[in-house]
């Protein structure tokens, strides 16, 4: 008999009833150290007092009005994002998938209005993840997500990761945009080298293409900069954001330059909930912390510490781990045994991690994790690895 919840997820036999910073408290009282942060969502940890206050204050006044009216917190958040980034304009969504939908629509509309309606192809990359809508699975293209869901939305050309010749050969008069994650998350924590991102920008400029970055997972301070592309010193034309921006409240956004977004006038797109007062009150509070240079310096400091300790862990457990990869507090441990077994051993050691493709264990702690908690995480990872070795 089908369960009352559509069984699209394999869930761990854990249910958490409370969170405190980097800690999750199970129904039976056990305290788990959270290096998953709800898949890079809880950027400020669980039950952050500033976020609780922002949400409850708004909840006591006004929940929802629709985008038929001005929403002061939405305006404040858009202004802040525009001030802190390359973008001239922002559209708010409820998720990363919806941000992907708009990014694709925006690119198509851009070329339609530019008198180049044939430039509908978007180049994407193997290992990508952009969400689970029909457009997002067509964009990513992996069989795991698309099989059985055909016919797929046309207009995507999938390229191998890191193959410059294939990329250059794929550009023809039908191509309008390149869509890529600066750091692949689901794909196994694969960071695009700075020179490659610079190269993509140059290629887009040379061919009049739009560069669309998916920073849903790697953005909002995750890599130690507000957005990951800042490390390469280049900017996109369109950027997808979600996950960390709401700190646990559903919120996403598409950021764009004026030129890229020019065709998106009244009536071209919409969302009933997108940018609603509750989401944007929380989003403003998240931004106030994450955009602070001192906060980002702290993320970089903690990243260096965690990374150094993980190198030691890999050296101590060569039968379990192969290497450390990633940036900031978006780190991956490539495993030598099935990553799902390592995740399970972590649970046994009261530690939450997230599996990814390429047999990688993702470490995505709250950006507020303390140095003492990082030390405790290493103790628990070491215990998990030791248990796997002796099993
Ligand atoms: C999670 C994710 C998405 C999809 O976001 P949802 O909020 O789950 O719709 C898109 N792109 C990337 C890179 C992601 O990590």
């Amino acid at each position: 008999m089908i369960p009352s919840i559509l069984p699209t997820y394999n869930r761990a036999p854990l249910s958490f009833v409370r969170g405190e910073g980097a800690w999750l408290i199970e129904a039976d009282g056990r305290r788990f150290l959270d290096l998953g942060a709800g898949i890079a969502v809880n950027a400020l940890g669980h039950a952050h007092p500033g976020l609780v206050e922002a949400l409850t204050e708004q909840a006591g006044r006004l929940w929802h009005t629709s985008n038929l009216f001005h929403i002061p917190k939405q305006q404040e958040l858009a202004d802040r994002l525009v001030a802190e980034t390359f973008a001239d304009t922002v559209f708010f969504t409820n998720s990363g998938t919806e941000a992907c939908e708009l990014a694709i629509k925006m690119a198509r509309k851009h070329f339609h209005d530019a008198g180049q309606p044939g430039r509908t192809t978007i180049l994407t990359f193997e290992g990508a993840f952009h969400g689970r809508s029909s457009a997002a699975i067509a964009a990513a293209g992996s069989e795991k997500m698309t099989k059985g869901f055909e016919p797929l939305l046309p207009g995507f050309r999938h390229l191998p990761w890191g193959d410059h010749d294939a990329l250059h050969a794929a550009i023809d008069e039908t191509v309008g945009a390149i869509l890529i994650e600066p750091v692949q998350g689901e794909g196994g924590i694969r960071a695009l080298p700075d020179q490659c991102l610079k190269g993509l920008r140059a290629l887009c400029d040379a061919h009049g293409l739009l560069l669309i970055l998916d920073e849903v997972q790697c953005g909002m301070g995750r890599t130690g900069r507000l957005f990951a592309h800042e490390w390469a010193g280049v900017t996109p034309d369109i950027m997808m954001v979600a996950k960390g921006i709401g700190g646990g409240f559903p919120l996403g956004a598409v950021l764009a330059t004026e030129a890229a977004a020019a065709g998106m006038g009244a009536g071209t797109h919409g969302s009933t909930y997108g940018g609603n007062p509750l989401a944007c009150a929380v989003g403003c509070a998240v931004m106030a912390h994450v955009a602070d240079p001192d906060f980002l310096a702290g993320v970089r400091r903690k990243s260096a510490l965690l990374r150094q300790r993980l190198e030691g862990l890999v050296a101590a457990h060569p039968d379990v781990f192969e290497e450390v990869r990633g940036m900031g507090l978006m780190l991956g441990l490539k495993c030598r045994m099935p990553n799902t077994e390592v995740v399970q051993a972590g649970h046994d050691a009261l530690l939450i991690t997230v599996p990814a493709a390429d047999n990688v264990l993702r470490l995505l702690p709250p950006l507020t994790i303390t140095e003492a908690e990082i030390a405790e995480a290493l103790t628990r990872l070491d215990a998990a690895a030791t248990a796997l070795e002796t099993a």
Side-chain angles (χ1 to χ4, degrees):
M1 199 174 75
I2 195 165
S4 59
I5 294 175
L6 191 71
T8 61
Y9 279 96
N10 275 321
R11 294 169 197 267
L14 295 169
S15 67
F16 299 108
V17 292
R18 209 168 68 246
E20 297 166 1
W23 297 87
L24 282 169
I25 294 99
E26 220 271 342
D28 64 10
R30 287 181 299 162
R31 292 173 64 86
F32 287 72
L33 188 50
D34 185 10
L35 300 193
I39 319 182
V41 166
N42 304 99
L44 300 184
H46 301 281
H48 186 283
L51 300 197
V52 172
E53 191 193 330
L55 181 61
T56 51
E57 203 273 333
Q58 185 64 47
R61 282 198 296 144
L62 184 65
W63 289 26
H64 181 81
T65 58
S66 89
N67 285 303
L68 299 175
F69 306 97
H70 291 279
I71 299 172
K73 282 290 177 187
Q74 185 183 125
Q75 186 67 56
E76 185 183 329
L77 184 54
D79 290 345
R80 184 80 199 257
L81 286 165
V82 164
E84 300 283 352
T85 70
F86 73 95
D88 301 313
T89 189
V90 182
F91 182 93
F92 291 103
T93 68
N94 309 290
S95 69
T97 300
E98 289 165 90
C100 181
E101 289 288 328
L102 174 56
I104 292 165
K105 284 179 67 178
M106 188 181 280
R108 288 184 170 184
K109 189 69 160 58
H110 173 85
F111 288 105
H112 172 273
D113 289 12
Q116 302 174 290
R119 293 177 72 167
T120 53
T121 301
I122 299 178
L123 304 181
T124 62
F125 296 87
E126 169 261 319
F129 182 78
H130 302 298
R132 292 297 198 128
S133 66
S134 298
I137 62 173
S142 77
E143 186 179 314
K144 182 171 162 254
M145 287 187 282
T146 57
K147 195 170 189 305
F149 298 107
E150 299 87 356
L152 301 177
L153 183 73
F156 301 98
R157 197 169 294 162
H158 307 106
L159 303 174
W161 180 259
D163 185 338
H164 292 108
D165 294 339
L167 173 62
H168 285 263
I171 295 177
D172 60 24
E173 70 290 344
T174 72
V175 173
I178 297 176
L179 165 60
I180 193 165
E181 296 154 85
V183 186
Q184 281 191 346
E186 306 300 314
I189 309 291
R190 294 199 292 185
L192 192 66
D194 286 352
Q195 67 269 24
C196 292
L197 195 47
K198 283 196 176 88
L200 285 178
R201 178 71 270 176
L203 199 63
C204 286
D205 291 342
H207 294 272
L209 311 181
L210 296 175
L211 180 60
I212 308 173
L213 294 182
D214 181 347
E215 294 227 16
V216 168
Q217 192 161 151
C218 63
M220 290 305 292
R222 185 54 52 190
T223 68
R225 295 286 190 101
L226 184 55
F227 291 103
H229 67 262
E230 294 172 23
W231 287 106
V234 296
T235 58
D237 301 290
I238 299 173
M239 178 169 71
M240 297 153 50
V241 180
K243 293 201 165 94
I245 193 172
F249 199 95
L251 177 63
V254 173
L255 279 63
T257 63
E258 183 167 11
M264 302 301 297
T268 57
H269 196 63
S271 171
T272 298
Y273 285 129
N276 110 336
L278 295 170
C280 289
V282 178
C284 285
V286 171
M287 270 300 280
H289 288 274
V290 174
D292 178 346
D294 291 337
F295 181 92
L296 292 168
V299 173
R300 296 194 289 273
R301 214 168 37 243
K302 288 183 279 191
S303 166
L305 173 69
L306 177 56
R307 193 174 182 115
Q308 180 202 359
R309 300 294 305 272
L310 290 173
E311 299 285 1
L313 179 83
V314 171
H317 300 281
D319 295 337
V320 181
F321 302 115
E322 191 176 324
E323 64 161 354
V324 186
R325 49 167 87 162
M327 299 169 71
L329 290 175
M330 185 173 183
L331 296 174
L333 287 167
K334 169 100 171 148
C335 298
R336 287 202 198 275
M337 40 178 79
N339 60 353
T340 49
E341 288 178 28
V342 186
V343 169
Q344 178 56 52
H347 291 177
D348 296 340
L350 306 186
L351 183 80
I352 303 297
T353 59
V354 186
D358 202 23
N359 205 32
V360 163
L361 191 74
R362 263 181 291 179
L363 308 179
L364 308 160
L367 305 180
T368 50
I369 192 170
T370 65
E371 296 191 0
E373 285 162 345
I374 287 174
E376 181 60 30
L378 263 295
T379 301
R380 294 181 185 207
L381 276 167
D382 186 68
T386 302
L388 285 166
E389 284 160 351
T390 54

